[in-house]
Amino acid sequence: MAPVAPRSGDAIFASVERVNAELFTLTYGAIVRQLLTDLEEVEEVNKQLDQMGYNIGIRLIDEFLAKSNVARCVDFKETAEVIAKVGFKMFLGVTASVSNWDADGTCCSIVLEDNPLVDFVELPDTCQGLYYCNVLSGVIRGALEMVSMKTEVTWVRDMLRGDDAFELQVKLLKQVPEEYPYKDDE
Amino acid sequence: MAAIYSLYIINKSGGLIFYKDYGSAGRMDTNDSLRVASLWHSMHAISQQLSPVAGCSGIELLEADTFDLHCFQSLTGTKFFVVCEPGTQQMEALLKVIYELYTDYVLKNPFYEIEMPIRCELFDFNLSQTVQKDCVALLGR
């Protein structure tokens, strides 16, 4: 039988190589700072961070699958749980929770109480439109696309903007079937 | 002598992105290895459709008189397969290890373009170490 999917990423987090959390936080800060200098427009920075996240996500998914031993998820609900409980733990060392499901189970919120990317960060007035952690939404979008789920990921709450948590809304747009038929006669 | 004859990695559209042979048996030139890869890709896809088992994920093991072929497909569609001596054990575990090496040394290499042929020295190096270790373990028994 298929191995039972882990319900939390603790064991994997303990077994993979880690880097110093402050080094990680500061490096990410330096990237965002440099993007602000280079691109000048806050909107452009948001877009660039999302693109960078996407590029990371399409590669990261394989590492996630290789090291976490999760089996294929039966539905999008399970997918969201696995991202929040196993994925976030494995790569960021924090656990997120999933809430706010809509009626047909295609849209939910992933809520992060704790986010290592934003330790030490205060948004200045000039950067009010910045989604500082936009790289995360890109990562999720990229990773899910590689397992044939087209999604749209947006920020709903952001602690840097005065909210009480980080909340990402993940919306499943469509599930691309994996079969090959690619009809010959079309 | 090595129990493993060769290793192939094919991307999700069926292109051969990595081929390596070990030892003399079953050695192939570039054209033949490409042919094997695309043949296997199609057979794998067909087997998924023909299988009486619901939710089948394709052929995992092909046994022939002169070789065994073990295949592992990741959920992202990349396939890894080894051709080895008949009856060689623990190939599934080896393929899992190779998948991990691929995620570490290929996908994390910023100069590797995904879906393209793999030319990464670190991957080659770690792969040959893993395979060697595996052969030693097999001979030791």
PDB file of all heavy atoms in Angstrom, chain A residues 142-178:
ATOM      1  N   GLY A 142       3.453  28.253  -8.274  1.00  0.00           N
ATOM      2  CA  GLY A 142       4.361  27.484  -9.127  1.00  0.00           C
ATOM      3  C   GLY A 142       4.349  26.004  -8.790  1.00  0.00           C
ATOM      4  O   GLY A 142       4.280  25.146  -9.665  1.00  0.00           O
ATOM      5  N   ALA A 143       4.379  25.712  -7.503  1.00  0.00           N
ATOM      6  CA  ALA A 143       4.442  24.321  -7.069  1.00  0.00           C
ATOM      7  C   ALA A 143       3.164  23.579  -7.476  1.00  0.00           C
ATOM      8  O   ALA A 143       3.220  22.464  -8.000  1.00  0.00           O
ATOM      9  CB  ALA A 143       4.633  24.246  -5.563  1.00  0.00           C
ATOM     10  N   LEU A 144       2.013  24.215  -7.280  1.00  0.00           N
ATOM     11  CA  LEU A 144       0.763  23.538  -7.612  1.00  0.00           C
ATOM     12  C   LEU A 144       0.597  23.377  -9.120  1.00  0.00           C
ATOM     13  O   LEU A 144       0.011  22.402  -9.588  1.00  0.00           O
ATOM     14  CB  LEU A 144      -0.426  24.294  -7.016  1.00  0.00           C
ATOM     15  CG  LEU A 144      -0.555  24.188  -5.498  1.00  0.00           C
ATOM     16  CD1 LEU A 144      -1.741  24.988  -4.996  1.00  0.00           C
ATOM     17  CD2 LEU A 144      -0.680  22.733  -5.057  1.00  0.00           C
ATOM     18  N   GLU A 145       1.151  24.320  -9.864  1.00  0.00           N
ATOM     19  CA  GLU A 145       1.031  24.201 -11.312  1.00  0.00           C
ATOM     20  C   GLU A 145       1.745  22.945 -11.817  1.00  0.00           C
ATOM     21  O   GLU A 145       1.298  22.301 -12.761  1.00  0.00           O
ATOM     22  CB  GLU A 145       1.606  25.440 -11.992  1.00  0.00           C
ATOM     23  CG  GLU A 145       1.312  25.459 -13.467  1.00  0.00           C
ATOM     24  CD  GLU A 145       1.664  26.777 -14.102  1.00  0.00           C
ATOM     25  OE1 GLU A 145       1.220  27.831 -13.600  1.00  0.00           O
ATOM     26  OE2 GLU A 145       2.411  26.765 -15.098  1.00  0.00           O
ATOM     27  N   MET A 146       2.839  22.588 -11.171  1.00  0.00           N
ATOM     28  CA  MET A 146       3.595  21.412 -11.600  1.00  0.00           C
ATOM     29  C   MET A 146       2.866  20.110 -11.285  1.00  0.00           C
ATOM     30  O   MET A 146       3.195  19.064 -11.808  1.00  0.00           O
ATOM     31  CB  MET A 146       4.974  21.377 -10.936  1.00  0.00           C
ATOM     32  CG  MET A 146       5.886  22.483 -11.370  1.00  0.00           C
ATOM     33  SD  MET A 146       6.123  22.518 -13.140  1.00  0.00           S
ATOM     34  CE  MET A 146       7.375  21.266 -13.317  1.00  0.00           C
ATOM     35  N   VAL A 147       1.919  20.155 -10.349  1.00  0.00           N
ATOM     36  CA  VAL A 147       1.110  18.964 -10.124  1.00  0.00           C
ATOM     37  C   VAL A 147      -0.299  19.207 -10.673  1.00  0.00           C
ATOM     38  O   VAL A 147      -1.295  18.802 -10.076  1.00  0.00           O
ATOM     39  CB  VAL A 147       1.107  18.521  -8.645  1.00  0.00           C
ATOM     40  CG1 VAL A 147       2.397  17.802  -8.309  1.00  0.00           C
ATOM     41  CG2 VAL A 147       0.935  19.693  -7.697  1.00  0.00           C
ATOM     42  N   SER A 148      -0.330  19.877 -11.780  1.00  0.00           N
ATOM     43  CA  SER A 148      -1.516  20.121 -12.610  1.00  0.00           C
ATOM     44  C   SER A 148      -2.687  20.806 -11.924  1.00  0.00           C
ATOM     45  O   SER A 148      -3.826  20.461 -12.151  1.00  0.00           O
ATOM     46  CB  SER A 148      -1.971  18.843 -13.312  1.00  0.00           C
ATOM     47  OG  SER A 148      -2.056  17.770 -12.428  1.00  0.00           O
ATOM     48  N   MET A 149      -2.390  21.782 -11.060  1.00  0.00           N
ATOM     49  CA  MET A 149      -3.466  22.603 -10.521  1.00  0.00           C
ATOM     50  C   MET A 149      -3.162  24.056 -10.808  1.00  0.00           C
ATOM     51  O   MET A 149      -2.125  24.578 -10.372  1.00  0.00           O
ATOM     52  CB  MET A 149      -3.592  22.406  -9.015  1.00  0.00           C
ATOM     53  CG  MET A 149      -4.351  21.177  -8.627  1.00  0.00           C
ATOM     54  SD  MET A 149      -4.285  20.937  -6.858  1.00  0.00           S
ATOM     55  CE  MET A 149      -2.995  19.754  -6.733  1.00  0.00           C
ATOM     56  N   LYS A 150      -4.038  24.690 -11.552  1.00  0.00           N
ATOM     57  CA  LYS A 150      -3.871  26.124 -11.804  1.00  0.00           C
ATOM     58  C   LYS A 150      -4.522  26.872 -10.656  1.00  0.00           C
ATOM     59  O   LYS A 150      -5.688  26.645 -10.350  1.00  0.00           O
ATOM     60  CB  LYS A 150      -4.563  26.512 -13.114  1.00  0.00           C
ATOM     61  CG  LYS A 150      -3.789  26.099 -14.334  1.00  0.00           C
ATOM     62  CD  LYS A 150      -3.099  27.298 -14.953  1.00  0.00           C
ATOM     63  CE  LYS A 150      -2.417  26.895 -16.256  1.00  0.00           C
ATOM     64  NZ  LYS A 150      -1.035  27.349 -16.319  1.00  0.00           N
ATOM     65  N   THR A 151      -3.757  27.722 -10.005  1.00  0.00           N
ATOM     66  CA  THR A 151      -4.324  28.430  -8.864  1.00  0.00           C
ATOM     67  C   THR A 151      -4.053  29.923  -8.967  1.00  0.00           C
ATOM     68  O   THR A 151      -3.218  30.369  -9.749  1.00  0.00           O
ATOM     69  CB  THR A 151      -3.694  27.942  -7.549  1.00  0.00           C
ATOM     70  OG1 THR A 151      -2.279  27.962  -7.690  1.00  0.00           O
ATOM     71  CG2 THR A 151      -4.157  26.554  -7.182  1.00  0.00           C
ATOM     72  N   GLU A 152      -4.788  30.655  -8.128  1.00  0.00           N
ATOM     73  CA  GLU A 152      -4.546  32.073  -8.011  1.00  0.00           C
ATOM     74  C   GLU A 152      -4.327  32.319  -6.527  1.00  0.00           C
ATOM     75  O   GLU A 152      -5.130  31.895  -5.702  1.00  0.00           O
ATOM     76  CB  GLU A 152      -5.796  32.802  -8.509  1.00  0.00           C
ATOM     77  CG  GLU A 152      -5.631  34.286  -8.671  1.00  0.00           C
ATOM     78  CD  GLU A 152      -6.939  34.877  -9.160  1.00  0.00           C
ATOM     79  OE1 GLU A 152      -7.829  35.123  -8.318  1.00  0.00           O
ATOM     80  OE2 GLU A 152      -7.072  35.068 -10.378  1.00  0.00           O
ATOM     81  N   VAL A 153      -3.218  32.939  -6.172  1.00  0.00           N
ATOM     82  CA  VAL A 153      -2.895  33.121  -4.768  1.00  0.00           C
ATOM     83  C   VAL A 153      -2.775  34.611  -4.466  1.00  0.00           C
ATOM     84  O   VAL A 153      -2.012  35.320  -5.116  1.00  0.00           O
ATOM     85  CB  VAL A 153      -1.568  32.407  -4.417  1.00  0.00           C
ATOM     86  CG1 VAL A 153      -1.310  32.481  -2.929  1.00  0.00           C
ATOM     87  CG2 VAL A 153      -1.593  30.963  -4.877  1.00  0.00           C
ATOM     88  N   THR A 154      -3.566  35.083  -3.505  1.00  0.00           N
ATOM     89  CA  THR A 154      -3.512  36.512  -3.173  1.00  0.00           C
ATOM     90  C   THR A 154      -3.426  36.717  -1.663  1.00  0.00           C
ATOM     91  O   THR A 154      -3.881  35.878  -0.887  1.00  0.00           O
ATOM     92  CB  THR A 154      -4.787  37.241  -3.673  1.00  0.00           C
ATOM     93  OG1 THR A 154      -5.917  36.439  -3.349  1.00  0.00           O
ATOM     94  CG2 THR A 154      -4.727  37.460  -5.174  1.00  0.00           C
ATOM     95  N   TRP A 155      -2.867  37.838  -1.274  1.00  0.00           N
ATOM     96  CA  TRP A 155      -2.779  38.168   0.153  1.00  0.00           C
ATOM     97  C   TRP A 155      -4.063  38.814   0.615  1.00  0.00           C
ATOM     98  O   TRP A 155      -4.568  39.730  -0.032  1.00  0.00           O
ATOM     99  CB  TRP A 155      -1.611  39.124   0.406  1.00  0.00           C
ATOM    100  CG  TRP A 155      -0.299  38.429   0.277  1.00  0.00           C
ATOM    101  CD1 TRP A 155       0.519  38.440  -0.804  1.00  0.00           C
ATOM    102  CD2 TRP A 155       0.335  37.603   1.254  1.00  0.00           C
ATOM    103  NE1 TRP A 155       1.621  37.667  -0.567  1.00  0.00           N
ATOM    104  CE2 TRP A 155       1.540  37.152   0.688  1.00  0.00           C
ATOM    105  CE3 TRP A 155      -0.001  37.196   2.549  1.00  0.00           C
ATOM    106  CZ2 TRP A 155       2.410  36.301   1.372  1.00  0.00           C
ATOM    107  CZ3 TRP A 155       0.863  36.370   3.232  1.00  0.00           C
ATOM    108  CH2 TRP A 155       2.062  35.925   2.643  1.00  0.00           C
ATOM    109  N   VAL A 156      -4.571  38.336   1.749  1.00  0.00           N
ATOM    110  CA  VAL A 156      -5.775  38.924   2.314  1.00  0.00           C
ATOM    111  C   VAL A 156      -5.409  39.748   3.544  1.00  0.00           C
ATOM    112  O   VAL A 156      -5.880  40.858   3.740  1.00  0.00           O
ATOM    113  CB  VAL A 156      -6.792  37.833   2.708  1.00  0.00           C
ATOM    114  CG1 VAL A 156      -8.067  38.462   3.231  1.00  0.00           C
ATOM    115  CG2 VAL A 156      -7.080  36.939   1.521  1.00  0.00           C
ATOM    116  N   ARG A 157      -4.552  39.166   4.369  1.00  0.00           N
ATOM    117  CA  ARG A 157      -4.111  39.896   5.561  1.00  0.00           C
ATOM    118  C   ARG A 157      -2.598  39.894   5.606  1.00  0.00           C
ATOM    119  O   ARG A 157      -1.950  38.933   5.186  1.00  0.00           O
ATOM    120  CB  ARG A 157      -4.657  39.223   6.822  1.00  0.00           C
ATOM    121  CG  ARG A 157      -6.112  39.536   7.084  1.00  0.00           C
ATOM    122  CD  ARG A 157      -6.533  39.013   8.436  1.00  0.00           C
ATOM    123  NE  ARG A 157      -6.643  37.558   8.462  1.00  0.00           N
ATOM    124  CZ  ARG A 157      -6.717  36.849   9.587  1.00  0.00           C
ATOM    125  NH1 ARG A 157      -6.639  37.474  10.761  1.00  0.00           N
ATOM    126  NH2 ARG A 157      -6.820  35.544   9.554  1.00  0.00           N
ATOM    127  N   ASP A 158      -2.043  40.959   6.104  1.00  0.00           N
ATOM    128  CA  ASP A 158      -0.589  41.087   6.144  1.00  0.00           C
ATOM    129  C   ASP A 158      -0.234  41.837   7.425  1.00  0.00           C
ATOM    130  O   ASP A 158      -0.678  42.960   7.640  1.00  0.00           O
ATOM    131  CB  ASP A 158      -0.130  41.866   4.902  1.00  0.00           C
ATOM    132  CG  ASP A 158       1.389  41.903   4.773  1.00  0.00           C
ATOM    133  OD1 ASP A 158       2.073  41.827   5.820  1.00  0.00           O
ATOM    134  OD2 ASP A 158       1.881  42.025   3.640  1.00  0.00           O
ATOM    135  N   MET A 159       0.546  41.197   8.290  1.00  0.00           N
ATOM    136  CA  MET A 159       0.891  41.830   9.576  1.00  0.00           C
ATOM    137  C   MET A 159       1.649  43.135   9.380  1.00  0.00           C
ATOM    138  O   MET A 159       1.563  44.043  10.193  1.00  0.00           O
ATOM    139  CB  MET A 159       1.726  40.874  10.413  1.00  0.00           C
ATOM    140  CG  MET A 159       0.901  39.907  11.233  1.00  0.00           C
ATOM    141  SD  MET A 159       1.969  38.607  11.822  1.00  0.00           S
ATOM    142  CE  MET A 159       1.444  38.433  13.494  1.00  0.00           C
ATOM    143  N   LEU A 160       2.415  43.219   8.292  1.00  0.00           N
ATOM    144  CA  LEU A 160       3.173  44.445   8.062  1.00  0.00           C
ATOM    145  C   LEU A 160       2.250  45.618   7.746  1.00  0.00           C
ATOM    146  O   LEU A 160       2.644  46.763   7.780  1.00  0.00           O
ATOM    147  CB  LEU A 160       4.170  44.245   6.918  1.00  0.00           C
ATOM    148  CG  LEU A 160       5.305  43.259   7.203  1.00  0.00           C
ATOM    149  CD1 LEU A 160       6.188  43.110   5.984  1.00  0.00           C
ATOM    150  CD2 LEU A 160       6.135  43.716   8.390  1.00  0.00           C
ATOM    151  N   ARG A 161       0.997  45.290   7.389  1.00  0.00           N
ATOM    152  CA  ARG A 161       0.035  46.356   7.105  1.00  0.00           C
ATOM    153  C   ARG A 161      -0.926  46.533   8.262  1.00  0.00           C
ATOM    154  O   ARG A 161      -2.018  47.084   8.112  1.00  0.00           O
ATOM    155  CB  ARG A 161      -0.728  46.020   5.843  1.00  0.00           C
ATOM    156  CG  ARG A 161       0.168  45.943   4.645  1.00  0.00           C
ATOM    157  CD  ARG A 161      -0.586  45.396   3.469  1.00  0.00           C
ATOM    158  NE  ARG A 161       0.149  45.696   2.245  1.00  0.00           N
ATOM    159  CZ  ARG A 161      -0.429  45.916   1.093  1.00  0.00           C
ATOM    160  NH1 ARG A 161      -1.728  45.881   0.982  1.00  0.00           N
ATOM    161  NH2 ARG A 161       0.307  46.180   0.029  1.00  0.00           N
ATOM    162  N   GLY A 162      -0.568  45.961   9.414  1.00  0.00           N
ATOM    163  CA  GLY A 162      -1.360  46.186  10.616  1.00  0.00           C
ATOM    164  C   GLY A 162      -2.403  45.120  10.907  1.00  0.00           C
ATOM    165  O   GLY A 162      -3.176  45.245  11.849  1.00  0.00           O
ATOM    166  N   ASP A 163      -2.465  44.049  10.094  1.00  0.00           N
ATOM    167  CA  ASP A 163      -3.417  42.971  10.405  1.00  0.00           C
ATOM    168  C   ASP A 163      -2.846  42.085  11.508  1.00  0.00           C
ATOM    169  O   ASP A 163      -1.695  42.222  11.889  1.00  0.00           O
ATOM    170  CB  ASP A 163      -3.696  42.140   9.148  1.00  0.00           C
ATOM    171  CG  ASP A 163      -4.311  42.973   8.043  1.00  0.00           C
ATOM    172  OD1 ASP A 163      -5.160  43.834   8.361  1.00  0.00           O
ATOM    173  OD2 ASP A 163      -3.909  42.799   6.876  1.00  0.00           O
ATOM    174  N   ASP A 164      -3.674  41.123  11.965  1.00  0.00           N
ATOM    175  CA  ASP A 164      -3.229  40.312  13.098  1.00  0.00           C
ATOM    176  C   ASP A 164      -2.573  39.000  12.677  1.00  0.00           C
ATOM    177  O   ASP A 164      -2.133  38.226  13.507  1.00  0.00           O
ATOM    178  CB  ASP A 164      -4.402  40.050  14.035  1.00  0.00           C
ATOM    179  CG  ASP A 164      -5.602  39.499  13.285  1.00  0.00           C
ATOM    180  OD1 ASP A 164      -5.573  39.566  12.027  1.00  0.00           O
ATOM    181  OD2 ASP A 164      -6.542  39.020  13.927  1.00  0.00           O
ATOM    182  N   ALA A 165      -2.541  38.710  11.377  1.00  0.00           N
ATOM    183  CA  ALA A 165      -1.891  37.480  10.911  1.00  0.00           C
ATOM    184  C   ALA A 165      -1.590  37.638   9.427  1.00  0.00           C
ATOM    185  O   ALA A 165      -1.973  38.630   8.805  1.00  0.00           O
ATOM    186  CB  ALA A 165      -2.791  36.266  11.135  1.00  0.00           C
ATOM    187  N   PHE A 166      -0.909  36.637   8.889  1.00  0.00           N
ATOM    188  CA  PHE A 166      -0.719  36.603   7.441  1.00  0.00           C
ATOM    189  C   PHE A 166      -1.741  35.639   6.877  1.00  0.00           C
ATOM    190  O   PHE A 166      -1.849  34.509   7.353  1.00  0.00           O
ATOM    191  CB  PHE A 166       0.690  36.124   7.090  1.00  0.00           C
ATOM    192  CG  PHE A 166       1.729  37.152   7.345  1.00  0.00           C
ATOM    193  CD1 PHE A 166       2.403  37.182   8.553  1.00  0.00           C
ATOM    194  CD2 PHE A 166       2.038  38.104   6.383  1.00  0.00           C
ATOM    195  CE1 PHE A 166       3.363  38.151   8.800  1.00  0.00           C
ATOM    196  CE2 PHE A 166       2.991  39.070   6.618  1.00  0.00           C
ATOM    197  CZ  PHE A 166       3.660  39.094   7.833  1.00  0.00           C
ATOM    198  N   GLU A 167      -2.480  36.078   5.897  1.00  0.00           N
ATOM    199  CA  GLU A 167      -3.481  35.193   5.321  1.00  0.00           C
ATOM    200  C   GLU A 167      -3.367  35.209   3.805  1.00  0.00           C
ATOM    201  O   GLU A 167      -3.390  36.256   3.164  1.00  0.00           O
ATOM    202  CB  GLU A 167      -4.887  35.641   5.739  1.00  0.00           C
ATOM    203  CG  GLU A 167      -5.960  34.749   5.158  1.00  0.00           C
ATOM    204  CD  GLU A 167      -7.357  35.113   5.666  1.00  0.00           C
ATOM    205  OE1 GLU A 167      -7.473  35.788   6.712  1.00  0.00           O
ATOM    206  OE2 GLU A 167      -8.324  34.723   5.007  1.00  0.00           O
ATOM    207  N   LEU A 168      -3.189  34.018   3.253  1.00  0.00           N
ATOM    208  CA  LEU A 168      -3.080  33.848   1.808  1.00  0.00           C
ATOM    209  C   LEU A 168      -4.342  33.184   1.309  1.00  0.00           C
ATOM    210  O   LEU A 168      -4.740  32.154   1.841  1.00  0.00           O
ATOM    211  CB  LEU A 168      -1.932  32.898   1.486  1.00  0.00           C
ATOM    212  CG  LEU A 168      -0.531  33.428   1.297  1.00  0.00           C
ATOM    213  CD1 LEU A 168       0.440  32.264   1.313  1.00  0.00           C
ATOM    214  CD2 LEU A 168      -0.411  34.182  -0.001  1.00  0.00           C
ATOM    215  N   GLN A 169      -4.959  33.760   0.302  1.00  0.00           N
ATOM    216  CA  GLN A 169      -6.121  33.088  -0.260  1.00  0.00           C
ATOM    217  C   GLN A 169      -5.686  32.274  -1.478  1.00  0.00           C
ATOM    218  O   GLN A 169      -5.054  32.811  -2.385  1.00  0.00           O
ATOM    219  CB  GLN A 169      -7.164  34.100  -0.673  1.00  0.00           C
ATOM    220  CG  GLN A 169      -8.460  33.428  -1.035  1.00  0.00           C
ATOM    221  CD  GLN A 169      -9.482  34.434  -1.480  1.00  0.00           C
ATOM    222  OE1 GLN A 169      -9.273  35.163  -2.433  1.00  0.00           O
ATOM    223  NE2 GLN A 169     -10.599  34.488  -0.766  1.00  0.00           N
ATOM    224  N   VAL A 170      -5.978  30.986  -1.435  1.00  0.00           N
ATOM    225  CA  VAL A 170      -5.610  30.117  -2.547  1.00  0.00           C
ATOM    226  C   VAL A 170      -6.877  29.681  -3.255  1.00  0.00           C
ATOM    227  O   VAL A 170      -7.766  29.095  -2.650  1.00  0.00           O
ATOM    228  CB  VAL A 170      -4.844  28.864  -2.056  1.00  0.00           C
ATOM    229  CG1 VAL A 170      -4.391  28.023  -3.239  1.00  0.00           C
ATOM    230  CG2 VAL A 170      -3.650  29.268  -1.223  1.00  0.00           C
ATOM    231  N   LYS A 171      -6.949  30.005  -4.532  1.00  0.00           N
ATOM    232  CA  LYS A 171      -8.161  29.698  -5.285  1.00  0.00           C
ATOM    233  C   LYS A 171      -7.802  28.745  -6.410  1.00  0.00           C
ATOM    234  O   LYS A 171      -6.913  29.043  -7.213  1.00  0.00           O
ATOM    235  CB  LYS A 171      -8.714  31.007  -5.847  1.00  0.00           C
ATOM    236  CG  LYS A 171     -10.062  30.864  -6.404  1.00  0.00           C
ATOM    237  CD  LYS A 171     -10.631  32.209  -6.753  1.00  0.00           C
ATOM    238  CE  LYS A 171     -12.017  31.850  -7.258  1.00  0.00           C
ATOM    239  NZ  LYS A 171     -12.755  32.830  -7.816  1.00  0.00           N
ATOM    240  N   LEU A 172      -8.472  27.614  -6.439  1.00  0.00           N
ATOM    241  CA  LEU A 172      -8.220  26.630  -7.506  1.00  0.00           C
ATOM    242  C   LEU A 172      -9.002  27.048  -8.746  1.00  0.00           C
ATOM    243  O   LEU A 172     -10.216  27.099  -8.733  1.00  0.00           O
ATOM    244  CB  LEU A 172      -8.658  25.242  -7.035  1.00  0.00           C
ATOM    245  CG  LEU A 172      -8.493  24.105  -8.033  1.00  0.00           C
ATOM    246  CD1 LEU A 172      -7.034  23.819  -8.292  1.00  0.00           C
ATOM    247  CD2 LEU A 172      -9.173  22.850  -7.524  1.00  0.00           C
ATOM    248  N   LEU A 173      -8.283  27.383  -9.801  1.00  0.00           N
ATOM    249  CA  LEU A 173      -8.972  27.821 -11.017  1.00  0.00           C
ATOM    250  C   LEU A 173      -9.393  26.619 -11.845  1.00  0.00           C
ATOM    251  O   LEU A 173     -10.535  26.497 -12.241  1.00  0.00           O
ATOM    252  CB  LEU A 173      -8.067  28.729 -11.851  1.00  0.00           C
ATOM    253  CG  LEU A 173      -7.619  30.013 -11.166  1.00  0.00           C
ATOM    254  CD1 LEU A 173      -6.694  30.784 -12.057  1.00  0.00           C
ATOM    255  CD2 LEU A 173      -8.823  30.862 -10.783  1.00  0.00           C
ATOM    256  N   LYS A 174      -8.426  25.741 -12.126  1.00  0.00           N
ATOM    257  CA  LYS A 174      -8.831  24.509 -12.804  1.00  0.00           C
ATOM    258  C   LYS A 174      -7.782  23.432 -12.615  1.00  0.00           C
ATOM    259  O   LYS A 174      -6.613  23.725 -12.367  1.00  0.00           O
ATOM    260  CB  LYS A 174      -9.116  24.766 -14.286  1.00  0.00           C
ATOM    261  CG  LYS A 174      -7.901  24.919 -15.161  1.00  0.00           C
ATOM    262  CD  LYS A 174      -8.362  24.963 -16.608  1.00  0.00           C
ATOM    263  CE  LYS A 174      -7.150  25.034 -17.503  1.00  0.00           C
ATOM    264  NZ  LYS A 174      -7.209  25.601 -18.751  1.00  0.00           N
ATOM    265  N   GLN A 175      -8.231  22.225 -12.721  1.00  0.00           N
ATOM    266  CA  GLN A 175      -7.359  21.092 -12.581  1.00  0.00           C
ATOM    267  C   GLN A 175      -7.102  20.554 -13.977  1.00  0.00           C
ATOM    268  O   GLN A 175      -8.023  20.142 -14.666  1.00  0.00           O
ATOM    269  CB  GLN A 175      -8.035  20.040 -11.712  1.00  0.00           C
ATOM    270  CG  GLN A 175      -7.046  19.228 -10.945  1.00  0.00           C
ATOM    271  CD  GLN A 175      -7.551  18.898  -9.554  1.00  0.00           C
ATOM    272  OE1 GLN A 175      -8.692  19.223  -9.195  1.00  0.00           O
ATOM    273  NE2 GLN A 175      -6.739  18.239  -8.763  1.00  0.00           N
ATOM    274  N   VAL A 176      -5.855  20.600 -14.412  1.00  0.00           N
ATOM    275  CA  VAL A 176      -5.543  20.153 -15.763  1.00  0.00           C
ATOM    276  C   VAL A 176      -5.384  18.641 -15.731  1.00  0.00           C
ATOM    277  O   VAL A 176      -4.557  18.130 -14.992  1.00  0.00           O
ATOM    278  CB  VAL A 176      -4.218  20.785 -16.232  1.00  0.00           C
ATOM    279  CG1 VAL A 176      -4.010  20.549 -17.713  1.00  0.00           C
ATOM    280  CG2 VAL A 176      -4.195  22.259 -15.896  1.00  0.00           C
ATOM    281  N   PRO A 177      -6.164  17.921 -16.508  1.00  0.00           N
ATOM    282  CA  PRO A 177      -6.035  16.465 -16.480  1.00  0.00           C
ATOM    283  C   PRO A 177      -4.668  16.049 -17.009  1.00  0.00           C
ATOM    284  O   PRO A 177      -4.110  16.701 -17.894  1.00  0.00           O
ATOM    285  CB  PRO A 177      -7.150  15.975 -17.401  1.00  0.00           C
ATOM    286  CG  PRO A 177      -7.486  17.141 -18.256  1.00  0.00           C
ATOM    287  CD  PRO A 177      -7.154  18.369 -17.485  1.00  0.00           C
ATOM    288  N   GLU A 178      -4.141  14.964 -16.430  1.00  0.00           N
ATOM    289  CA  GLU A 178      -2.789  14.566 -16.788  1.00  0.00           C
ATOM    290  C   GLU A 178      -2.733  13.602 -17.956  1.00  0.00           C
ATOM    291  O   GLU A 178      -1.692  13.347 -18.502  1.00  0.00           O
ATOM    292  CB  GLU A 178      -2.145  13.862 -15.600  1.00  0.00           C
ATOM    293  CG  GLU A 178      -1.450  14.804 -14.667  1.00  0.00           C
ATOM    294  CD  GLU A 178      -1.113  14.088 -13.392  1.00  0.00           C
ATOM    295  OE1 GLU A 178      -0.222  13.239 -13.446  1.00  0.00           O
ATOM    296  OE2 GLU A 178      -1.746  14.358 -12.367  1.00  0.00           O
TER     297      GLU A 178
END
